[in-house]
Amino acid sequence: MTEELLTRREGVAGMISLNRPKAIHALTLGMSEAMSAALRAWADDPAVRAVMIDHAEGRGFCSGGDIGLLRQSALNDGGVAGRQFFFEEYRLNHQLFTYPKPVVAFMDGITMGGGVGISQPARYRVATPNTRFAMPETGIGLFPDVGGGWYLSRLDGRLGQFLALTGARLDGAECLWAGLATHYLPAEALPDAKARIAAGHGIDGVLAALAVTPPAPKIAAHAAAIRQHFASDRLEDILASLGQDASEWAAKEWAILRTKSPQACKVALRQLATSLTLDTFAQNMAMEYRIGARVLCLPDFAEGVRAVIVDKDNAPRWNPAMPEGVTPEHLDAIFAPLPPKKEWTPL
């Protein structure tokens, strides 16, 4: 069996390559644990001056987490295995966020969900023309986790709220414009970049030398509309604002929002608003673990995965079906502290 995660030393760099090509390198529990172990070892190794994260063969970068395992856990074991997956994945996210050495993530391809969680903490986030960045969790009744509350809430112009609710995909140029990427390189320049970094050349200089000017970011044309229509932290307000705009863009976004889980959308809005009140990334991850531990076993997640991934009928039956059915009390229960021994803790 092929190893799902490849770790190796190249020159002064530790290399981590995701290697689950048939699943577009979606993270399993074993991959998260192996990545965390490699990072721990390299943190104390003076010969390792940087860490690079990329994907091995096939399309990249990382399409998310092990949704199949999470759904089976929700249906069969009361969420036990799913909560263990979240616990370890979130520890990896925090480990990367606080890592003492520079990390370079090569977002060369699909970068969604769990792929966002292992690329956004990196000091250097390299986008390419192949990059397709999204947090599409509201479409499967989940929420933009793996640190999404922290990263999305801190984007300018309510762009994070727009991405969290709609699951919109950004290309590499748009990622650079939004601040989700630090550099934009041609895909064919990546082997050279990795070789130079491994040889000990300064990362800033290497990436600056190989970077190119990206195309104009298409989403920039809608920045003012996003700022206006996604200004509220109430889903009903956002839908009403879009509904009052006669433009084709607003109609399209309104229609997209009506396909998403109302519960997941309201969770995401509260998650992002709450994250802005937190002082540390660890506090954010503890909040996201509380949410994940609960929404995993609520009806919308298993139903969303059924509709989008299992049966592929794209006709989920959300419960509650309408935004008004997701009450503040319902959200309070999702966000409430867990028993002390069940709370998330960093490594």
Side-chain angles (χ1 to χ4, degrees):
M1 179 176 138
T2 305
E3 285 187 75
E4 294 180 336
L5 190 85
L6 307 175
T7 60
R8 63 197 184 280
R9 280 281 311 282
E10 288 189 11
V12 302
M15 294 290 303
I16 295 173
S17 296
L18 310 178
N19 190 36
R20 206 170 160 233
K22 290 182 179 176
I24 316 179
H25 313 290
L27 296 173
T28 63
L29 175 62
M31 291 167 75
S32 291
E33 290 174 334
M35 197 180 307
S36 187
L39 289 167
R40 277 198 304 275
W42 291 334
D44 298 325
D45 186 343
V48 176
R49 304 206 315 244
V51 172
M52 292 186 269
I53 306 174
D54 65 4
H55 70 280
E57 62 176 288
R59 291 194 301 158
F61 161 67
C62 173
S63 63
D66 193 347
I67 294 295
L69 173 140
L70 294 173
R71 182 173 189 265
Q72 288 303 313
S73 177
L75 294 173
N76 299 322
D77 71 7
V80 172
R83 286 189 291 275
Q84 182 189 8
F85 176 85
F86 284 147
F87 196 90
E88 298 302 332
E89 185 184 23
Y90 295 4
R91 279 191 158 179
L92 171 63
N93 301 146
H94 181 265
Q95 185 182 12
L96 283 164
F97 191 93
T98 58
Y99 203 63
K101 298 179 181 183
V103 177
V104 188
F106 292 95
M107 299 155 46
D108 183 36
I110 291 173
T111 305
M112 297 185 184
V116 173
I118 59 171
S119 58
Q120 282 305 298
R123 187 182 307 176
Y124 302 95
R125 303 177 300 279
V126 179
T128 75
N130 298 325
T131 301
R132 295 294 179 271
F133 177 105
M135 292 296 273
E137 289 81 5
T138 57
I140 55 169
L142 207 50
F143 68 105
D145 65 336
V146 296
W150 186 272
Y151 306 119
L152 297 181
S153 66
R154 288 160 174 81
L155 296 179
D156 290 337
R158 301 291 288 185
L159 180 64
Q161 286 75 9
F162 168 75
L163 295 174
L165 294 181
T166 65
R169 296 186 180 193
L170 301 186
D171 63 24
E174 292 170 317
C175 286
L176 187 71
W177 171 83
L180 293 161
T182 59
H183 296 81
Y184 183 87
L185 270 63
E188 56 270 21
L190 298 190
D192 191 13
K194 295 170 193 175
R196 293 192 201 182
I197 293 168
H201 298 283
I203 300 171
D204 290 282
V206 169
L207 296 179
L210 295 174
V212 296
T213 301
K218 295 185 290 291
I219 196 170
H222 305 295
I226 290 170
R227 187 187 297 271
Q228 173 190 344
H229 293 309
F230 288 79
S232 177
D233 287 326
R234 288 187 73 248
L235 179 61
E236 292 90 340
D237 293 345
I238 293 170
L239 287 164
S241 183
L242 288 167
Q244 291 161 8
D245 184 331
S247 72
E248 181 181 343
W249 179 87
K252 177 171 73 78
E253 299 305 331
W254 184 91
I256 287 170
L257 280 185
R258 299 306 308 213
T259 69
K260 307 299 184 182
S261 158
Q263 171 190 281
C265 288
K266 287 201 170 186
V267 164
L269 284 169
R270 183 182 285 202
Q271 172 199 1
L272 269 60
T274 302
S275 184
L276 285 174
T277 72
L278 303 177
D279 295 324
T280 67
F281 190 69
Q283 291 172 331
N284 180 86
M285 297 317 298
M287 169 187 69
E288 293 189 7
Y289 183 74
R290 292 169 180 173
I291 301 169
R294 294 189 172 103
V295 300
L296 178 66
C297 293
L298 292 174
D300 274 10
F301 175 59
E303 171 61 10
V305 178
R306 178 207 66 75
V308 175
I309 295 169
V310 179
D311 296 338
K312 295 184 171 64
D313 61 16
N314 291 304
R317 295 179 291 274
W318 302 124
N319 180 18
M322 300 297 290
E324 297 75 20
V326 186
T327 64
E329 293 76 20
H330 184 82
L331 293 175
D332 289 344
I334 289 173
F335 280 77
L338 292 163
K341 291 186 178 178
K342 295 188 176 181
E343 290 275 24
W344 179 86
T345 54
L347 280 169

